[in-house]
Amino acid sequence: MIVDKSTAKEEALKKIKVTKATQSKLSEVDFNNLAFGKIYADHMLVADYSNGQWTNAEIIPFQNLSVSPTNAAWHYGQAIFEGIKAYKDPAGHPMIFRPYDNFRRFNKSAERMGMPDVPEWLFIGGLDMLIDVDRDWIPTTTGSSLYLRPFMIAADEYIGVRPSETYKFMIINSPSGPYFNKPIKLLVQDKFVRAFPGGVGFAKAAGNYGGTMYPTMVAKNKGYDQILWVDGFEHKYLQECGTMNVFVVIGNTAITPDLEQGTILEGVTRSSVMDVLSDMGLKVEEREISIDEIIEANKAGTLREIFGTGTAASVAYVEELDYKDIQIRLDSSKYTVGAEVIARLDAIRTGKAEDPRNWNYQIDKQ
């Protein structure tokens, strides 16, 4: 259950110890040239789960871990994560974008993977405290943000096949630029399958990503940036676009695959984009959409745009879509829908526009 923000922060302050780094690495960072996920802030949050309780919660200097070769996560894949972004408003105050949605999804993933819930004081309160400590690491250049990675792994030193009895929860920070800095080319994958109904496609589990590595590598060797995943039965209904949700704009309608099959992630950016598209006056449909429908719309001249959405990528334009011997090319320089979505989202996330849905979580001002 979600309680008042101040309650979560108050509880976190009582339970999370803070040990600050003796020397910051901040001066070593070129904030005008940030890659994605390659630089890490001064601190991280760690906590341990055993005997049904979360203990040893602490914010400490960023450092390596000492882990046994028998760690259960390495052998059986009990590992989940989230991606969240923090920004600064025009006055320089830190804000987290929709962390409660990530909090709910994280625990939904945990349940599916047989892992314990992470309480609100640790997830939300921990994020609040960590960003407060590392607030100077939040970049303000266009397209950049502080990327936050909460994750949980099994911690048992045991190679028997069963759910772990102990776990470690952590949050690390990374000042990052755009995930994609150009429009992308997609290969429709009709051989390998990312997820089936009844599986873990809806969870942000590490294994979901591990299983896509080889097919994606093959696609990249052919000149593509990512894969457009389709269903595993008929190999034609869209699921996800690489590690992103996908939107197809046909006429004045924006279509995105629904969540009914449990094969795609309930993206926080996806949800935000759907609301923004509605605000822009477009009709938004969550439903099955086939590659055949896209091909026909392209032939009819009604296919306007295709783009992926995700926390890391935000909105990524698709300029080419290849399916068997059919090639669809789109002029992303004429993407008016995607461009307005990006502009509106960025304005809200950075406090430059009204936030009528209360998406931004304000970090207490110093």
Side-chain angles (χ1 to χ4, degrees):
M1 185 178 80
I2 293 174
V3 298
D4 182 74
K5 167 193 165 182
S6 60
T7 305
K9 179 66 177 291
E10 286 174 9
E11 195 172 352
L13 286 168
K14 294 175 184 176
K15 296 182 177 181
I16 301 175
K17 178 183 175 183
V18 178
T19 303
K20 291 188 177 182
T22 55
Q23 185 171 352
S24 175
K25 304 186 298 291
L26 198 60
S27 61
E28 303 170 13
V29 180
D30 180 359
F31 281 90
N32 293 312
N33 292 287
L34 290 172
F36 183 87
K38 293 192 174 182
I39 299 169
Y40 298 95
D42 287 326
H43 300 90
M44 63 186 189
L45 182 146
V46 296
D48 299 314
Y49 179 88
S50 62
N51 299 317
Q53 294 185 354
W54 285 100
T55 61
N56 303 325
E58 187 176 6
I59 291 172
I60 59 176
F62 184 87
Q63 59 192 262
N64 293 336
L65 301 177
S66 177
V67 182
S68 168
T70 64
N71 176 272
W74 292 359
H75 297 274
Y76 305 117
Q78 266 192 301
I80 61 172
F81 67 94
E82 278 295 326
I84 309 173
K85 284 184 175 179
Y87 303 83
K88 283 185 177 177
D89 67 17
H93 300 131
M95 303 185 300
I96 320 175
F97 188 69
R98 301 190 72 168
Y100 273 109
D101 295 275
N102 295 95
F103 169 59
R104 286 189 286 266
R105 190 173 68 183
F106 189 85
N107 283 331
K108 185 177 179 181
S109 296
E111 180 183 21
R112 180 61 181 86
M113 298 301 291
M115 306 169 85
D117 279 3
V118 171
E120 184 182 9
W121 68 263
L122 182 55
F123 192 100
I124 298 294
L127 278 171
D128 191 319
M129 289 182 64
L130 182 61
I131 294 171
D132 194 16
V133 171
D134 278 337
R135 62 173 57 214
D136 291 340
W137 283 83
I138 302 175
T140 56
T141 51
T142 301
S144 63
S145 62
L146 184 66
Y147 182 81
L148 310 163
R149 172 57 65 88
F151 63 99
M152 176 166 50
I153 61 171
D156 276 8
E157 297 179 0
Y158 174 66
I159 57 173
V161 184
R162 59 159 172 75
S164 183
E165 296 175 351
T166 59
Y167 295 88
K168 185 172 285 290
F169 173 72
M170 301 182 64
I171 307 175
I172 55 176
N173 302 334
S174 176
S176 298
Y179 193 82
F180 293 112
N181 55 17
K182 63 180 180 63
I184 60 175
K185 297 180 180 180
L186 296 180
L187 174 67
V188 180
Q189 178 56 255
D190 60 351
K191 176 182 178 182
F192 298 101
V193 179
R194 176 188 170 275
F196 282 96
V200 296
F202 69 89
K204 208 160 175 65
N208 281 343
Y209 298 81
T212 68
M213 296 297 178
Y214 174 72
T216 302
M217 180 179 67
V218 172
K220 287 185 176 182
N221 287 339
K222 293 180 179 179
Y224 300 97
D225 298 294
Q226 278 290 351
I227 285 172
L228 180 58
W229 298 100
V230 293
D231 72 288
F233 298 109
E234 298 183 64
H235 299 287
K236 68 177 185 179
Y237 291 104
L238 274 59
Q239 289 188 349
E240 291 193 2
C241 167
T243 58
M244 302 175 285
N245 294 118
V246 62
F247 283 81
V248 180
V249 182
I250 298 175
N252 199 44
T253 301
I255 308 160
T256 191
D258 61 51
L259 307 173
E260 297 301 316
Q261 297 294 319
T263 55
I264 67 172
L265 194 67
E266 187 178 358
V268 176
T269 307
R270 171 185 180 272
S271 174
S272 306
V273 168
M274 289 171 63
D275 286 338
V276 169
L277 286 167
S278 294
D279 291 345
M280 289 165 52
L282 274 77
K283 181 180 179 182
V284 180
E285 295 181 352
E286 290 181 86
R287 62 169 175 83
E288 285 187 337
I289 177 169
S290 70
I291 188 65
D292 296 330
E293 183 177 351
I294 295 173
I295 292 169
E296 289 305 311
N298 187 55
K299 289 179 180 177
T302 56
L303 176 63
R304 293 172 62 186
E305 302 179 20
I306 302 175
F307 50 81
T309 66
T311 299
S314 188
V315 176
Y317 298 163
V318 175
E319 68 175 5
E320 185 177 317
L321 185 68
D322 287 6
Y323 174 67
K324 296 182 178 179
D325 60 346
I326 298 171
Q327 186 179 79
I328 295 174
R329 289 188 175 179
L330 299 166
D331 186 354
S332 60
S333 67
K334 297 179 180 178
Y335 274 25
T336 57
V337 175
E340 187 170 350
V341 167
I342 293 171
R344 291 194 183 208
L345 271 181
D346 283 349
I348 294 170
R349 290 183 296 205
T350 55
K352 297 172 183 175
E354 292 296 319
D355 180 18
R357 297 179 178 90
N358 295 315
W359 284 343
N360 289 320
Y361 176 105
Q362 299 278 347
I363 301 299
D364 294 334
K365 301 172 183 177
Q366 287 183 333

